[in-house]
Amino acid sequence: MALPHRIAARLARLYWRVRRPRTLGVRALVIDQHDHVALIRHTYITHWYLPGGGVKKGESFADALIRELAEEVALHPVTVERVLGVYTNRSEYKDDHVTVFVVRIERPADAPLMAADSWEIEAAGWFPLDALPEDVSPATLRRITEYRDGRNGNYGDW
């Protein structure tokens, strides 16, 4: 893992514990025409996650989603199909509200998913919806399950 990112993540969690800020985030459930999902592994935390990140002040959710996909995995252009759900995450002492979008992309079957920022993204890959890596984060697994079951999310806890 990248040491600067680990240190920054720990400092952020300490700040959140004291201040308990409200934050906004986006995640993308990126699905290709082969029913593979895009997952990333960060340099500063364990598990596989859906790509995404924070919404900056003055930025729309859609703009944040497009920016994050370009920054993390160089995916553009993308087609937003729908909102899967809006969730609340208070696990890191902040009042985080995350909107998950279902995104469709066409790609050649042999085109790998590349980490665009190697300081932040340790690994990126396409995975069949029925053959996910064992260490997918619990919340990511819940979002993928909601999608596979045809549900629009529970609009509740992350």
Side-chain angles (χ1 to χ4, degrees), residues 5-139:
H5 276 104
R6 284 196 319 226
I7 292 169
R10 286 184 182 170
L11 290 174
R13 281 192 283 282
L14 177 62
Y15 172 80
W16 298 331
R17 182 174 232 161
V18 172
R19 296 297 310 256
R20 304 212 187 265
R22 173 165 292 154
T23 58
L24 303 174
V26 292
R27 294 279 180 179
L29 186 74
V30 182
I31 306 291
D32 70 5
Q33 73 274 23
H34 311 288
D35 278 336
H36 288 79
V37 62
L39 296 176
I40 60 170
R41 183 186 289 278
H42 292 94
T43 58
Y44 50 92
I45 51 177
T46 59
H47 301 301
W48 287 93
Y49 294 88
L50 299 172
V55 178
K56 295 180 179 180
K57 187 174 183 173
E59 185 177 44
S60 73
F61 285 89
D63 288 344
L65 180 75
I66 290 166
R67 175 183 50 77
E68 286 290 341
L69 288 174
E71 287 177 1
E72 291 187 346
V73 289
L75 287 180
H76 52 79
V78 298
T79 301
V80 175
E81 183 177 283
R82 65 185 167 94
V83 172
L84 179 69
V86 180
Y87 307 88
T88 303
N89 182 2
R90 293 188 178 94
S91 66
E92 292 184 323
Y93 308 105
K94 57 185 174 173
D95 188 18
D96 192 19
H97 299 272
V98 181
T99 301
V100 179
F101 293 87
V102 176
V103 173
R104 289 286 176 172
I105 191 164
E106 295 285 325
R107 70 176 182 95
D110 60 346
L113 185 65
M114 304 298 292
D117 178 0
S118 61
W119 283 95
E120 181 183 4
I121 307 300
E122 179 180 305
W126 292 104
F127 298 91
L129 287 170
D130 59 355
L132 300 171
E134 288 184 20
D135 57 343
V136 170
S137 79

